[in-house]
Amino acid sequence: MRLRHRTILALDVTDPNRARSVARAVAGDVDAIKIGWALLLSGGRDLIKEVASLGYFLCDFRTSEIPNTTRLIVEQVAALGASGIITQGFVGEDSVRAAVEAAGDAEVFVITEMSHPGGAQFTAPHSEEIARIAVRAGAAGIVAPATRPARVRALRAIVGSRLILAPGVGAQGGTASEAIAAGADAVIVGRSIYEAADPREAARGIAAEIRAAGH
Ligand code: BMP
């Protein structure tokens, strides 16, 4: 992933026309567009392929499966044109390895500790172990919570130069500048961009906040 804006759009928009217009408006001001189940189910494969053609398509079907099922899903995701794939880490090293192997040229990002309050219940106590699994399995990076910058800092010490993508900015209470200062390479932002009156300006504002913080 080439990071110019250090901002990734989470396109959690279920109206296909709205998704299309937000993606087109914002594509030049973000480094990647993340798409998950909601848009696949509402818009179908053709819409996903259309959005994928706009730039770096980060596919977030976050497989939490046994290795064989992980492989089957990740092969389909790679065939959809994904440049990056998000997978769950709590499922264990064998499943993470299966995702990395099936991804081919696509980069794999492993979720360590989730950003919502519930993420502190089960994922947080194991996030450092999951980050070590991501490194050993050859993942391109991890996903870590912008809502807990201290945890991003701790996980950075484990993953070295691998990428850290941090969701939880805006609607979930985190800030882009704090996440980046703690060691994130980029932030993943959904509602604060796609619910804004002008999504492009909102995306630019986040990138500007990161630049202004001097990172
Ligand atoms: P929002 O900025 O609207 O809160 O969206 C955040 C996005 O990041 C959503 O797509 C969510 O599924 C994803 N995400 C997250 O919020 N926390 C995590 O720990 C991992 C995620 O992928």
Side-chain angles (χ1 to χ4, degrees), residues 10 12 34 60 62 86 111 113-116 143 167-169 171-172 188-192 194:
D12 300 324
K34 182 175 89 68
D60 183 8
R62 58 182 63 195
I86 293 181
I111 300 178
E113 172 173 334
M114 295 194 71
S115 60
H116 63 312
V143 178
V169 166
Q172 295 182 51
I188 296 174
V189 186
R191 286 164 285 181
S192 294
Y194 67 72

Side-chain angles (χ1 to χ4, degrees), residues 93-208:
E93 187 156 350
D94 51 357
S95 289
V96 173
R97 282 189 184 280
V100 172
E101 280 162 24
D105 292 337
E107 299 180 297
V108 172
F109 297 92
V110 179
I111 300 178
T112 55
E113 172 173 334
M114 295 194 71
S115 60
H116 63 312
Q121 252 181 310
F122 297 112
T123 58
H126 299 286
S127 58
E128 297 187 14
E129 209 178 339
I130 294 171
R132 279 187 212 101
I133 285 176
V135 171
R136 281 203 300 272
I142 61 167
V143 178
T147 46
R148 295 181 215 105
R151 301 301 302 142
V152 173
R153 194 167 283 114
L155 294 165
R156 167 57 73 201
I158 293 168
V159 301
S161 60
R162 288 173 205 262
L163 295 181
I164 298 184
L165 313 181
V169 166
Q172 295 182 51
T175 70
S177 50
E178 278 175 355
I180 298 283
D185 294 287
V187 292
I188 296 174
V189 186
R191 286 164 285 181
S192 294
I193 295 178
Y194 67 72
E195 285 181 353
D198 185 338
R200 187 179 196 190
E201 274 312 305
R204 287 183 171 182
I206 290 163

Side-chain angles (χ1 to χ4, degrees), residues 2 30 45 61 66 85 98 102 110 131 133 145 151 173 207:
R2 190 160 152 256
V30 295
R45 290 170 63 94
F61 295 162
I66 62 167
I85 291 168
V110 179
I133 285 176
R151 301 301 302 142

Side-chain angles (χ1 to χ4, degrees), residues 25-53:
V26 170
D29 293 286
V30 295
D31 298 309
I33 297 180
K34 182 175 89 68
I35 292 176
W37 288 113
L39 185 54
L40 173 71
L41 294 172
S42 64
R45 290 170 63 94
D46 288 345
L47 176 64
I48 303 296
K49 285 186 178 166
E50 189 185 323
V51 175
S53 71

